[in-house]
Amino acid sequence: MEKSGATVTTAHGLSEIINTQDAHKDSGSQDSRDSQTASEFIDSQLQLEADAREALPYAFDTCTQPLGSLRQNLFSCLTCNPPPVLPTDPYTPAGVCYSCSIACHGEHTLVELFSKRSFTCDCGTTRLPATSPCTLRINQATGTKGGVHSETPAPGNAYGQNFRNRFCGCGELYDAQKEKGTMYQCLGLGSVEDGGCGEDWWHPECIVGLKREWYNDSKQEEVEVEKSVDITGSVSDREREHEDPPQPPGFPHEDDFHTWICYKCVDANPWTKRYAGTTGFLPAIYHKRALSGVEAVTGEFGKEDRHTSNSPASIQNAGSSSRKRKAESDTEDMEELCQTKKQKHADETSPDAVSATKSCRYDTLPDPPIGVLSLFLMEDFRDHFCRCWDCFPRLAKHQQLLEEEEVYEPPLSESGDPEVAGGSVGTGSLLDRGEAALSNVDRVRAIEGVMVYNHLKDKVKSFLQPFAESGQAVGAEDIKAYFEKLRGDAEAIKAAGGAAAGSPSNGDVDGDNRKEQSGLSGKSPTMVQSS
C-alpha cells in the first residue's frame, strides 16, 4: 500500500496535507495522474515564478524617463502606435523603456529593439495615446503615481525604421515566428537623418549584397540534385524548413569580429574606409549588388604591392600573427597586457592625450578601397584609431569609437527566497507575499482568521477523508458542489433549509451550513485534490 494524502490550498496560499494510512491508488486513473499534493503545487508555482524572473530578470517598477537620455533597451508598441502599411507613409514613432513595456504595455504587441543610445522613454508623452498613460511616474497634477499622459517628449530622441517593425537595408517587416538565422546590429555612426542607419539590425546576406532568398535558391538546387541521384537517408523537407541558413559566402565568421559598421554609416563617414584591412580591422566586405565588377575591384585590392608594409594584406597578416602570439603567451603576460591596454585607453581618451599625439598615423594608412563596403572590427579596434590633432575631432563625434558604451540596466528583480530577497515588496513568491500580508494583519483579525481557517480545515478534512480512504481522485465537480453547499448557493440552500426544518433546534451549528462560513467573505479554495 502507498501512503496517500488529500490536499487543501486556500485562496490565501495556506496549505495542509492531511495524510491517511492504507489508502488505495488507481494507477490507471487519469484523474490520479493529474492530481497534485499541496507541496507539489507550491513547488510548481515557485518554479513558474522562477522562470518568469529568468525571462524578465529586472525589476519593472521605475520608468527611466526621469534619468534622461540613456543607452538602454527599448520597445516599440504596435498596439498604441500601429505602423502604416507603406513605409513611406507618415508615422509618429515612440519607444518605451523596459519597465514601461511590462507595467504599462504588458498586454500589447511589442517589438523589442534592444539597445539604442541617447534615448529618453516616450511613455506618457504625446507620442503615445492618452489612453495608454504611464503607470510608473508621479502625476504632477494629482501627486499620485500613474495616469501620466500627454507630456512633451524629449527632443533629442532619434527614430529609425525599427520603430515601425522594419529592419535591415531590405526594410522587411520582422516576424519572429518566421525569421531564421542571426541578425547583426551596426555600431551606428549616425542617425538616418545623418545618412547612417541608426543602429539598425541587418541580415548577413543583405550586408554582402545577396538576395534574401539566396539560401532558398541554393537549397532548392541541392534538393533537385538529391532527388536526381536518389540519395538514401537525405534530410527531410521539414528538417530543412527549421534549420538556420548558413552565413552567406564572403561574410566573416562570428568569432573573427567584435562589432561592425554598415555601408550606410561608412558612406556617411568616408574617412573610416582607410582603416579597412589594417590592424584591428578585417578587410573590406563589399556590397556586391551595389558595385558592378566587384570581383575586379577586390582583385585589384588584393594585388597591391605585397612587399609594402602599408598594404592591407600585410597589415592584416601582422594583426593575425599578433593575435596568435597573444593566445600563446602565459597568463601573467596577458594580465599585464590587459592592464596596460586599460591604462593606455584611459590616457588616450583624455584631452591631454590629444595634444601629446603629434604624428598622424592616419596619413600612413593605405588609400581607401573603392566601392560600397562595410567594416568589421576586432575587439581592440579602438586602440588603433589615430588620435592626432587633426583626427581626434572626427572620433569625438562618435563616443562609441573612443570607448565601449554601457547599457543601462534596471535593478535585478529579487528572488522569491526571503533569505535572498529580503522581503522586497512585489518581487517575492505568491506564497511569501500571502504570508507577509497575514503577518501585517492586526491581532484580533489574525486570531479570527486562524479560527475560521481551523474551522474550514476540519470541515474540508471530513469532506476529503472518504476520497483519501478509497483512493479516488477529487473531481472539480465534487469541489464545486461542496463549496456551493458551504456558501448556501442555489439548491444547496433548499437542502440546508430542509435539514434545518427537521432538526430540533435552529441553533444547531451542523444544521445550517451557512453559519459555518462566517468570516470567509465568500472566498473558496483554488485547488483541492487528493492522490
Side-chain angles (χ1 to χ4, degrees), residues 342-507:
K342 289 180 180 179
Q343 183 61 40
K344 178 183 177 183
H345 180 65
D347 294 341
E348 288 180 342
T349 54
S350 64
D352 295 338
V354 180
S355 58
T357 308
K358 298 179 180 179
S359 60
C360 180
R361 177 177 178 271
Y362 186 79
D363 291 339
T364 66
L365 298 178
D367 292 335
I370 301 172
V372 179
L373 59 93
S374 298
L375 285 178
F376 285 76
L377 298 74
M378 302 179 193
E379 190 171 3
D380 63 346
F381 74 94
R382 294 182 178 88
D383 298 335
H384 304 290
F385 279 121
C386 179
R387 286 176 167 80
C388 70
W389 274 103
D390 294 330
C391 296
F392 190 82
R394 292 185 298 213
L395 292 174
K397 294 179 181 178
H398 308 287
Q399 193 66 22
Q400 63 271 32
L401 296 181
L402 290 173
E403 57 184 353
E404 190 167 356
E405 301 169 290
E406 292 188 4
V407 180
Y408 171 80
E409 294 179 346
L412 286 172
S413 178
E414 299 289 355
S415 167
D417 186 350
E419 296 181 0
V420 179
S424 180
V425 177
T427 56
S429 69
L430 294 178
L431 180 62
D432 294 335
R433 291 163 65 182
E435 291 176 345
L438 286 177
S439 66
N440 293 326
V441 176
D442 64 81
R443 184 172 180 274
V444 175
R445 293 186 63 186
I447 293 174
E448 292 176 348
V450 171
M451 293 175 63
V452 170
Y453 169 73
N454 288 330
H455 186 62
L456 176 63
K457 180 193 70 174
D458 294 338
K459 300 300 295 182
V460 173
K461 178 178 179 180
S462 63
F463 163 69
L464 293 173
Q465 194 72 29
F467 292 95
E469 292 175 351
S470 64
Q472 179 184 357
V474 183
E477 292 301 324
D478 298 324
I479 300 170
K480 181 178 180 182
Y482 175 74
F483 282 100
E484 281 180 348
K485 186 177 181 180
L486 275 185
R487 290 194 302 266
D489 296 345
E491 296 181 0
I493 295 178
K494 297 181 182 180
S503 64
S505 172
N506 288 339

Side-chain angles (χ1 to χ4, degrees), residues 30 49 98 130 184 193 395 417 465 470:
Q30 180 65 37
E49 292 170 11
Y98 168 85
Y184 298 89
E193 292 76 14
L395 292 174
D417 186 350
Q465 194 72 29
S470 64

Side-chain angles (χ1 to χ4, degrees), residues 266-284:
V266 169
D267 286 344
N269 299 270
W271 59 271
T272 59
K273 289 186 176 183
R274 293 188 67 174
Y275 285 99
T278 63
T279 306
F281 302 81
L282 297 185

Side-chain angles (χ1 to χ4, degrees), residues 34-316:
D34 294 340
S35 61
Q36 289 179 299
T37 63
S39 133
E40 291 171 343
F41 176 76
I42 293 173
D43 289 343
S44 67
Q45 292 300 307
L46 293 176
Q47 183 59 48
L48 287 174
E49 292 170 11
D51 292 342
R53 282 193 297 272
E54 183 176 355
L56 302 172
Y58 304 108
F60 45 87
D61 55 358
T62 304
C63 175
T64 62
Q65 190 268 355
L67 301 178
S69 180
L70 300 169
R71 180 171 182 82
Q72 58 180 314
N73 290 321
L74 296 176
F75 298 79
S76 177
C77 183
L78 303 184
T79 302
C80 293
N81 280 14
V85 176
L86 298 177
T88 55
D89 289 345
Y91 178 62
T92 302
V96 298
C97 66
Y98 168 85
S99 296
C100 289
S101 72
I102 301 171
C104 311
H105 305 266
E107 297 183 358
H108 297 180
T109 301
L110 299 169
V111 178
E112 186 173 9
L113 308 179
F114 295 91
S115 61
K116 298 283 186 182
R117 68 175 58 95
S118 304
F119 200 96
T120 304
C121 181
D122 284 323
C123 192
T125 70
T126 54
R127 285 188 169 272
L128 292 165
T131 54
S132 296
C134 181
T135 62
L136 300 179
R137 298 207 301 275
I138 300 298
N139 190 318
Q140 299 300 325
T142 62
T144 59
K145 187 175 184 179
V148 178
H149 64 86
S150 305
E151 291 187 346
T152 302
N157 290 346
Y159 305 89
Q161 65 172 357
N162 293 171
F163 292 84
R164 299 172 177 245
N165 194 30
R166 293 185 179 275
F167 293 84
C168 188
C170 62
E172 280 191 358
L173 289 171
Y174 183 81
D175 187 344
Q177 303 301 322
K178 298 180 180 179
E179 190 69 36
K180 297 179 182 180
T182 304
M183 299 182 71
Y184 298 89
Q185 187 179 27
C186 174
L187 185 61
L189 298 186
S191 64
V192 176
E193 292 76 14
D194 299 330
C197 72
E199 297 181 274
D200 205 343
W201 290 81
W202 293 72
H203 303 109
E205 57 268 25
C206 295
I207 296 174
V208 299
L210 295 177
K211 296 186 299 182
R212 285 283 284 127
E213 302 80 14
W214 78 273
Y215 179 58
N216 293 332
D217 295 342
S218 61
K219 184 171 62 174
Q220 185 61 34
E221 294 177 1
E222 293 178 3
V223 172
E224 292 176 357
V225 171
E226 288 179 359
K227 290 181 178 180
S228 64
V229 297
D230 191 20
I231 297 178
T232 304
S234 60
V235 181
S236 65
D237 292 339
R238 178 170 294 184
E239 290 176 339
R240 287 193 182 93
E241 289 177 0
H242 292 284
E243 68 181 5
D244 286 338
Q247 299 290 32
F251 192 86
H253 192 275
E254 290 182 356
D255 296 336
D256 292 339
F257 67 95
H258 177 66
T259 186
W260 73 291
I261 304 172
C262 75
Y263 57 81
K264 289 186 178 181
C265 292
V266 169
D267 286 344
N269 299 270
W271 59 271
T272 59
K273 289 186 176 183
R274 293 188 67 174
Y275 285 99
T278 63
T279 306
F281 302 81
L282 297 185
I285 303 299
Y286 291 92
H287 189 281
K288 293 179 172 57
R289 283 191 293 171
L291 181 66
S292 59
V294 175
E295 292 78 10
V297 175
T298 54
E300 293 175 3
F301 183 61
K303 290 179 181 178
E304 292 185 12
D305 188 359
R306 297 176 182 268
H307 299 285
T308 56
S309 59
N310 290 335
S311 66
S314 61
I315 296 178
Q316 178 58 33

